[in-house]
Amino acid sequence: MRKIVVCGNWKMNKTVSESVQLAKEVVAAAQGVDKAVIAIAPTFLAAAKVADVLAGTNVKLAVQDIHFADQGAFTGKVSVDMAKDIGVEMVILGHSEQRQYFGETDELINKKVVKVLEAGLTPIVCIGETLEEREGGKLEDVLTTQLKGAYAGVSEADAAKTVVAYEPVWAIGTGVTATDEQAQDTQAYVRSVLKDLYSEALAESVSIQYGGSMKPGNAAGLLSQTDIDGGLIGGASLDAEMFLGVVKAAP
Ligand code: PEP
């Protein structure tokens, strides 16, 4: 049985005090909810304080990115050990905003995936196509290239410790969600690529999240699909009730 994993990506939202408050609200709303692995990813600035709120609860701490080096002259970056030290368990990697605005490549994402796995944390590997790519018939090529790139040199045993987030770029923050069928078909394809790269057993064991304007109103339909094992939630994760509404919509 694959785990349902729901992670809130707060992006560049909330001050430290607002983050602490929202984390408290998420913890309260998540009490006793065991349908999914629940995680939230605040900004780096707020992460340590949010960690204190999450300690001993069923909500895990995630971050939105990481650097692949151990330490040193990398202005503006945060290392895996620094994240691990405050209790981070999951790391979002290759988000389309990182790819689009900060030039993140599959090669760089791969270095980060390897580093996060080495540290024993869970990478959430984001992939997804633009509307132009989908309409241009390039959907499968784009996803295959992103997956091959992100998992280059990663052993099957390590790949089993990852989570994939399929996030169509055209659905992120737009209010436009992929239909249940579009998401299911694409995520089945993603699973078939994992099978080609590794094995059927591996492909069947990896949780594949959907991300892109997911909210309580559309979560039940998406989460009831065979190949959708949770969600990466942006906008709706900034409200504890909405975020938990998504989690509770899981079958
Ligand atoms: C995201 O940023 O990963 C995301 C899915 O955002 P939203 O839910 O706002 O579309």
Side-chain angles (χ1 to χ4, degrees):
M1 253 302 255
R2 288 189 294 269
K3 282 188 214 145
I4 303 292
V5 183
V6 179
C7 180
N9 174 13
W10 292 1
K11 310 192 186 190
M12 197 173 74
N13 291 295
K14 305 286 174 188
T15 62
V16 175
S17 53
E18 287 168 349
S19 298
V20 167
Q21 178 58 31
L22 178 55
K24 286 180 181 167
E25 290 167 13
V26 170
V27 164
Q31 230 172 16
V33 179
D34 58 6
K35 283 188 158 190
V37 174
I38 306 170
I40 52 176
T43 63
F44 280 127
L45 202 61
K49 290 238 171 162
V50 168
D52 293 341
V53 178
L54 303 189
T57 75
N58 61 339
V59 182
K60 294 183 188 298
L61 182 61
V63 285
Q64 302 170 21
D65 187 28
I66 210 73
H67 193 60
F68 60 82
D70 289 331
Q71 61 182 49
F74 298 99
T75 301
K77 302 300 176 198
V78 170
S79 78
V80 174
D81 285 347
M82 291 169 191
K84 196 174 172 180
D85 182 58
I86 63 158
V88 168
E89 294 182 67
M90 308 183 98
V91 183
I92 299 169
L93 294 175
H95 191 279
S96 66
E97 288 152 16
Q98 287 284 343
R99 294 177 189 260
Q100 195 179 341
Y101 305 136
F102 305 111
E104 192 155 80
T105 61
D106 291 326
E107 196 185 359
L108 180 55
I109 293 160
N110 175 245
K111 285 184 178 176
K112 295 178 179 185
V113 169
V114 169
K115 193 71 198 173
V116 167
L117 285 165
E118 260 173 33
L121 307 187
T122 303
I124 297 179
V125 181
C126 301
I127 57 169
E129 83 289 0
T130 63
L131 192 57
E132 202 183 3
E133 288 164 342
R134 177 174 275 261
E135 290 178 343
K138 296 193 181 128
L139 173 66
E140 296 191 350
D141 276 357
V142 167
L143 298 181
T144 304
T145 302
Q146 290 176 342
L147 281 167
K148 277 190 178 163
Y151 284 85
V154 174
S155 69
E156 180 160 338
D158 274 345
K161 298 171 193 156
T162 67
V163 170
V164 175
Y166 166 61
E167 300 203 297
V169 177
W170 45 272
I172 297 179
T174 58
V176 179
T177 316
T179 63
D180 297 348
E181 292 72 25
Q182 277 174 325
Q184 166 55 31
D185 288 353
T186 312
Q187 299 203 187
Y189 177 73
V190 169
R191 204 176 295 289
S192 77
V193 176
L194 290 175
K195 182 180 160 197
D196 292 346
L197 289 178
Y198 295 102
S199 68
E200 177 141 25
L202 179 283
E204 287 303 320
S205 73
V206 170
S207 298
I208 305 177
Q209 301 174 311
Y210 167 80
S213 299
M214 199 171 181
K215 43 189 179 279
N218 58 30
L222 288 161
L223 292 173
S224 65
Q225 304 301 313
T226 319
D227 289 295
I228 301 184
D229 313 308
L232 186 54
I233 320 297
S237 72
L238 297 174
D239 178 285
E241 286 307 320
M242 280 183 80
F243 180 52
L244 265 295
V246 171
V247 177
K248 289 174 186 167

